Amino acid sequence: MTALNLDGGVLFFFAVGAATELSVFMAGWSSRNKYSLLGALRAIAQMISYEVPLILSAVAVIMAAGSLSTDQIVEAQAGYWGLLPQWYVLTPWGLAGFVLFMVAATAESNRSPFDLPEGSPRSSPATTPNTPASSSRSSSWANISACSPSAAWASPCF
């Protein structure tokens, strides 16, 4: 039971989650400063390196359910194995995928210990006044709010 049943709902979720890279690139490009652009490209490379395991953690569930639709993935887990529910998180590959998903979601939200893009103010020299300050701390709340519903969806689905 969802508001909109998409056949590629999992793909839509990951596509919307990848939109943050575009905003970081546009912020670095619009500053018209080569160092800000290089910093934005470095941050994008780091964000992509966190998204690849996030997407790969969902592949096992997609293959087991045989669908990209979130409704069909949930329906594939409707039964019981004796007393245990037939959730994918209770299988060894599902548990490994869920742990990988949670670590990658924590990394994507730039929480500790993955908060490397926001360096200490002491590490950036004061001789570059034209490099704008990053507002990625406020965007980390957007990442957390995007990862939280997917983790709630993923816990009975993995």
Side-chain angles (χ1 to χ4, degrees):
M1 179 190 242
T2 57
L4 180 63
N5 185 9
L6 296 173
D7 289 335
V10 176
L11 288 178
F12 178 75
F13 168 75
F14 286 123
V16 169
T20 57
E21 284 84 357
L22 181 62
S23 64
V24 170
F25 176 73
M26 289 172 56
W29 181 278
S30 66
S31 67
R32 299 185 55 87
N33 184 343
K34 64 181 176 183
Y35 298 111
S36 295
L37 179 60
L38 288 174
L41 291 176
R42 184 185 135 291
I44 290 169
Q46 185 173 9
M47 289 164 46
I48 289 173
S49 72
Y50 294 152
E51 281 193 15
V52 169
L54 187 71
I55 293 170
L56 288 178
S57 67
V59 169
V61 173
I62 292 168
M63 290 178 64
S67 175
L68 290 171
S69 172
T70 54
D71 287 344
Q72 291 178 0
I73 291 173
V74 171
E75 288 172 6
Q77 304 175 83
Y80 281 89
W81 294 318
L83 297 174
L84 293 174
Q86 194 176 351
W87 294 344
Y88 295 139
V89 75
L90 299 177
T91 61
W93 48 267
L95 183 61
F98 182 70
V99 169
L100 180 64
F101 180 87
M102 293 306 290
V103 169
T106 304
E108 177 123 11
S109 63
N110 290 333
R111 305 309 294 168
S112 182
F114 302 103
D115 56 349
L116 294 178
E118 294 86 25
S120 172
R122 293 171 286 178
S123 65
S124 62
T127 60
T128 58
N130 294 328
T131 303
S134 172
S135 65
S136 58
R137 276 293 177 194
S138 62
S139 68
S140 70
W141 290 108
N143 286 336
I144 291 171
S145 63
C147 290
S148 297
S150 63
W153 165 77
S155 61
C157 294
F158 276 88

